[in-house]
Amino acid sequence: MADKPITVHAIINGERVSTEKQYSRENPTNPEEIVGYAPVNTKEEAISAIDAAHNAFKEWSNSSIDDRVERMKRAVQKIKDATPEISRLLSREHGKPLYDAEGEFAVSIMWMEYACSIVKDVIKDQVQEHDHGKTIITFDSVGVVSAIIPWNYPISLSTIKIAPALLTGNTMVLKPSPFAPLAVSKVIDIISSEFPPGVLNLVHGEADVGVELTSNPKVAKIAFTGGTKTAKSIMKSAADTLKNMTLELGGNDVAIVLPEFDVNDSRAMRRMVISNFLTAGQICMIAKRIYVHRSIYNSFVEKYVEAANKWIRIGDPFNPDVTIGPVNNKNQVNYVQSLIDDAASKGAEVIKLGKILNPEIFETGYFMQPTLVLGAEHHDPIVVEEQFGPTVPILPFDDENDVIKLHNQGIYGLTSSVWGEEEHAIRVARQIEAGTTMINTAAVQGLDVRFPFGGVKQSGVGREYGEEGLKSYVEMHVINIPKHLELPYIPE
Ligand code: NAD
């Protein structure tokens, strides 16, 4: 029996707020099924949420770190208890298979617990006695944070912001994407109920609410994850009040396969396939184009297809044999298909990968059979654009310096990966302009929440995760007590 549609609310100053106007979120596996309803908040409601966060800030920023950590740990325990139920909801509204939704919860919990374990050390005062006197550096909360998140990883991309922001004494208003608003609302409901009213607020809506959250003078910081184009409007919207910003944006992550890579290493090939197609390719750090040394290109393609046909099993996210579900929304299907069609029209070969396990739902859901694109040119949209879907081009190269140059000429620099002998791969990695480079693995497989994550160039500003992910929610305040209080060169 199908689950009944649920209704989620906005949370303003600790109260669940319903609105007359709501929008529905469909199930991408079966778009006729409504998974739930979320409110369409107005600009005025966004202002109320910002005011609530602003009013709560003074007291919250003066609270003890021990108290904040205790509250966060209680929230984490409740999220753990609710994971089976909410990951099911996430799977239904998003389209990602259940194992993938549960994995998202596991990574989120790992980060929240890690942030709880290090916050005290990361923001404790630094006191230095030195030749010139004494200096104290304090780490002060920034203020009201507007958090805006995309649809692809709503639980991890919200908690990646909520945990450090609240633990360091900030208050927050968060806005999810209309393409995945339900599970994240449940999680925020849990967290917010552990904190004083106004500390964590939730509003739903589209660009008008987003514009208020990014331009309101009471907002001190913006923590945004989403597309590079949206980030550019956000920067403009925030310019009048010069807000502090962390931006985690798009990428066109390259995988460079060196000549010594062993194409018969089936585990490595499986990792490569997963790094291209996990979550149907809808992850910012998916390896979105593979460059393979020409000496192994043909055998690489042959073994890649073999590995892909084994791992890729498309169908119902609740079928335990399925590894890839539908794409999240129709626009994304159309966009990815347009890139594939463009490449095919220019003569590229498109190879379908994997098995369709549930053909009965394939045509009605937002499904796409994953594809490999061979013979595309370096400047084709399928190679230079972020496809964010289940397709990947493979291109040959002769000289690794050419691939590094091609990559570095692009506008993005989120993650990248190099596959081959470790020292050789590290030499190549050092030359790539990116926030992260993984060796012999890629995408979430090589992610470690203890280290900073973020992009360079148009892939982002600032870092999340790691100590830096906490420090991006504090301002350093230097209290200087110089031994010599006057400058000798200034005349009497
Ligand atoms: P998007 O930019 O379309 O939307 C992101 C969020 O911004 C949504 O909540 C949306 O409602 C809101 N928004 C839209 N217009 C706005 C405006 N003018 N002002 C304020 N907010 C506005 O992105 P998406 O399609 O939801 O997500 C996919 C993109 O996110 C991809 O480019 C992907 O690479 C990127 N992403 C990056 C990371 C990372 O960590 N670097 C992680 C996940 C996704």
Side-chain angles (χ1 to χ4, degrees):
M1 203 179 72
D3 299 49
K4 285 206 184 104
I6 64 152
T7 299
V8 296
H9 306 92
I11 300 170
I12 301 176
N13 204 26
E15 301 286 330
R16 290 182 187 150
V17 179
S18 309
T19 50
E20 241 170 62
K21 213 168 148 202
Q22 294 180 325
Y23 67 90
S24 59
R25 174 61 198 156
E26 76 267 28
N27 182 344
T29 305
N30 169 20
E32 284 189 357
E33 180 197 334
I34 302 296
V35 184
Y37 299 93
V40 180
N41 285 120
T42 58
K43 182 179 153 177
E44 288 66 34
E45 284 157 340
I47 294 173
S48 301
I50 294 168
D51 286 345
H54 194 253
N55 293 338
F57 175 69
K58 194 154 193 255
E59 203 173 325
W60 182 244
S61 58
N62 283 316
S63 61
S64 80
I65 300 185
D66 288 337
D67 176 43
R68 296 177 202 161
V69 168
E70 276 319 302
R71 289 172 187 270
M72 194 60 78
K73 283 185 173 168
R74 286 205 297 270
V76 169
Q77 186 53 51
K78 287 189 174 167
I79 295 170
K80 279 184 185 168
D81 296 343
T83 295
E85 184 200 330
I86 312 181
S87 51
R88 195 181 149 79
L89 177 64
L90 177 62
S91 196
R92 288 175 61 232
E93 70 171 327
H94 184 284
K96 60 176 77 179
L98 193 56
Y99 79 88
D100 201 1
E102 287 168 349
E104 185 176 345
F105 272 83
V107 173
S108 308
I109 287 166
M110 202 185 295
W111 163 242
M112 293 174 89
E113 289 181 334
Y114 181 66
C116 284
S117 73
I118 62 168
V119 62
K120 216 166 172 174
D121 275 345
V122 172
I123 65 166
K124 74 167 182 263
D125 290 359
Q126 288 177 7
V127 184
Q128 290 181 38
E129 308 258 2
H130 47 75
D131 289 353
H132 301 281
K134 182 175 169 182
T135 306
I136 305 166
I137 304 177
T138 67
F139 296 89
D140 303 349
S141 323
V142 176
V144 176
V145 179
S146 282
I148 300 177
I149 60 160
W151 48 263
N152 66 327
Y153 270 69
I155 310 304
S156 61
L157 297 174
S158 57
T159 52
I160 204 174
K161 298 171 177 49
I162 295 169
L166 271 49
L167 287 170
T168 54
N170 302 281
T171 57
M172 180 176 270
V173 181
L174 186 142
K175 189 195 93 59
S177 160
F179 292 109
L182 305 174
V184 67
S185 297
K186 292 274 183 195
V187 167
I188 289 177
D189 199 296
I190 290 175
I191 304 175
S192 127
S193 66
E194 292 300 330
F195 288 82
V199 170
L200 178 58
N201 306 274
L202 169 71
V203 288
H204 293 263
E206 250 304 343
D208 57 334
V209 169
V211 169
E212 189 56 42
L213 295 185
T214 52
S215 61
N216 189 302
K218 288 182 182 162
V219 171
K221 178 180 170 84
I222 296 168
F224 172 77
T225 303
T228 297
K229 207 170 141 206
T230 313
K232 289 179 185 177
S233 355
I234 288 178
M235 267 212 169
K236 286 184 190 139
S237 169
D240 276 348
T241 43
L242 287 177
K243 298 190 193 308
N244 176 323
M245 270 189 212
T246 305
L247 304 174
E248 295 288 359
L249 312 177
N252 185 14
D253 306 21
V254 70
I256 301 177
V257 184
L258 300 172
E260 68 274 12
F261 176 78
D262 179 5
V263 297
N264 293 310
D265 179 344
S266 58
R267 294 305 294 182
M269 249 340 162
R270 177 181 174 274
R271 288 198 297 281
M272 177 69 84
V273 169
I274 291 171
S275 76
N276 306 131
F277 291 110
L278 186 69
T279 321
Q282 305 164 111
I283 313 183
C284 56
M285 58 177 136
I286 277 287
K288 299 187 179 91
R289 48 193 167 138
I290 309 174
Y291 286 88
V292 180
H293 193 266
R294 199 179 297 278
S295 61
I296 57 165
Y297 177 81
N298 287 336
S299 53
F300 179 92
V301 170
E302 186 193 323
K303 294 292 177 182
Y304 183 95
V305 172
E306 234 175 79
N309 284 340
K310 199 164 162 201
W311 187 75
I312 296 175
R313 300 181 295 273
I314 313 128
D316 183 345
F318 291 105
N319 178 341
D321 295 327
V322 159
T323 52
I324 297 181
V327 167
N328 172 270
N329 59 77
K330 191 68 186 159
N331 289 346
Q332 202 56 25
V333 172
N334 293 342
Y335 173 65
V336 177
Q337 193 57 50
S338 73
L339 293 174
I340 299 167
D341 292 346
D342 173 78
S345 72
K346 292 171 182 156
E349 183 187 357
V350 178
I351 300 173
K352 289 188 174 173
L353 302 169
K355 291 183 269 305
I356 300 172
L357 296 196
N358 300 103
E360 69 286 1
I361 53 173
F362 192 83
E363 292 306 325
T364 44
Y366 302 146
F367 286 95
M368 291 186 84
Q369 184 156 6
T371 47
L372 185 62
V373 177
L374 303 178
E377 297 291 335
H378 297 289
H379 53 262
D380 284 341
I382 196 141
V383 182
V384 291
E385 301 291 334
E386 178 188 45
Q387 64 270 48
F388 217 64
T391 184
V392 69
I394 304 189
L395 297 93
F397 71 87
D398 295 299
D399 182 342
E400 66 201 32
N401 293 315
D402 294 340
V403 187
I404 297 166
K405 198 167 154 198
L406 273 169
H407 174 273
N408 291 349
Q409 277 168 354
I411 60 167
Y412 294 117
L414 188 58
T415 78
S416 53
S417 59
V418 189
W419 305 67
E421 184 273 321
E422 193 175 306
E423 287 307 313
H424 185 187
I426 294 171
R427 280 201 302 282
V428 173
R430 285 181 186 279
Q431 300 172 67
I432 297 176
E433 293 169 3
T436 303
T437 302
M438 300 171 204
I439 308 293
N440 289 320
T441 192
V444 286
Q445 299 168 113
L447 189 70
D448 190 328
V449 300
R450 294 169 304 169
F451 297 99
F453 177 83
V456 302
K457 301 197 282 189
Q458 293 189 31
S459 284
V461 175
R463 293 290 182 273
E464 294 187 311
Y465 284 150
E467 286 186 17
E468 288 73 7
L470 286 153
K471 283 194 176 149
S472 70
Y473 289 92
V474 286
E475 295 283 14
M476 276 195 277
H477 180 184
V478 175
I479 301 172
N480 222 2
I481 310 120
K483 218 184 263 175
H484 307 290
L485 298 172
E486 293 172 6
L487 288 170
Y489 63 79
I490 298 181
E492 288 298 330

